[in-house]
């Protein structure tokens, strides 16, 4: 199947600062959207960190499944494997955000919402 990706972000009506971060990675079938928590410190930092960490983690996981060490086509991951990878990427992002908030007083209390979409063959996985 072929998927077409598009993204758009808007700061909304209340704030002038857009705290959204978006990653679209068609090569890996991955889309990530984070919306920093408005009204708290550094929501835009948290959302960028979340998108970056999750994107890198999932791209690495997906790439490692296609290791050139074997010429055989890798098996399509099943739902539990995808869930484990998604959970690990979210845990990594959470740890990175908490660590940055602890290290930088200006970041204390920062946070973000996060949605991850992963398309593998005919399946859509959401986290």
């Amino acid at each position: 199947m072929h998927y077409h990706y598009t993204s758009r972000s808007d700061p909304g009506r209340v704030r002038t600062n857009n705290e959204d971060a978006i990653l679209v990675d068609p090569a890996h079938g991955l889309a990530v959207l984070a919306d920093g928590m408005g009204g708290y410190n550094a929501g835009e930092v948290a959302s960028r960190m979340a998108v970056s960490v999750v994107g890198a983690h999932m791209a690495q996981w997906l790439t490692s499944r296609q290791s050139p060490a074997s010429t055989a086509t890798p098996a399509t991951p099943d739902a539990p494997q995808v869930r484990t990878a998604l959970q690990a990427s979210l845990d990594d992002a959470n740890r990175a955000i908490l660590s940055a908030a602890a290290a930088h007083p200006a970041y204390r209390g920062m946070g973000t919402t996060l949605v991850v979409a992963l398309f593998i063959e005919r399946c859509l996985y959401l986290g």
Side-chain angles (χ1 to χ4, degrees):
M1 294 197 66
H2 297 280
Y3 297 98
H4 297 275
Y5 299 82
T6 187
S7 65
R8 182 175 178 192
S9 179
D10 187 282
R13 295 181 179 172
V14 177
R15 293 175 183 35
T16 57
N17 182 29
N18 190 343
E19 297 186 351
D20 298 347
I22 301 168
L23 171 106
V24 177
D25 181 356
H28 290 106
L30 181 65
V32 185
L33 168 65
D35 184 358
M37 295 182 346
Y40 293 88
N41 291 331
E44 71 283 358
V45 174
S47 63
R48 283 193 313 264
M49 287 180 70
V51 164
S52 176
V53 171
V54 168
H57 182 106
M58 292 305 298
Q60 189 279 328
W61 180 73
L62 290 161
T63 300
S64 72
R65 296 190 54 74
Q66 302 168 356
S67 174
S70 170
T71 58
T73 303
T76 301
D78 60 20
Q81 291 169 323
V82 173
R83 179 182 177 171
T84 298
L86 283 171
Q87 184 63 51
S89 74
L90 299 176
D91 289 345
D92 285 353
N94 189 52
R95 278 191 299 277
I97 291 167
L98 288 172
S99 178
H104 304 283
Y107 295 173
R108 298 254 159 85
M110 74 175 174
T112 187
T113 62
L114 183 65
V115 178
V116 181
L118 179 61
F119 297 90
I120 299 177
E121 294 184 2
R122 297 181 152 248
C123 294
L124 165 63
Y125 298 93
L126 292 174

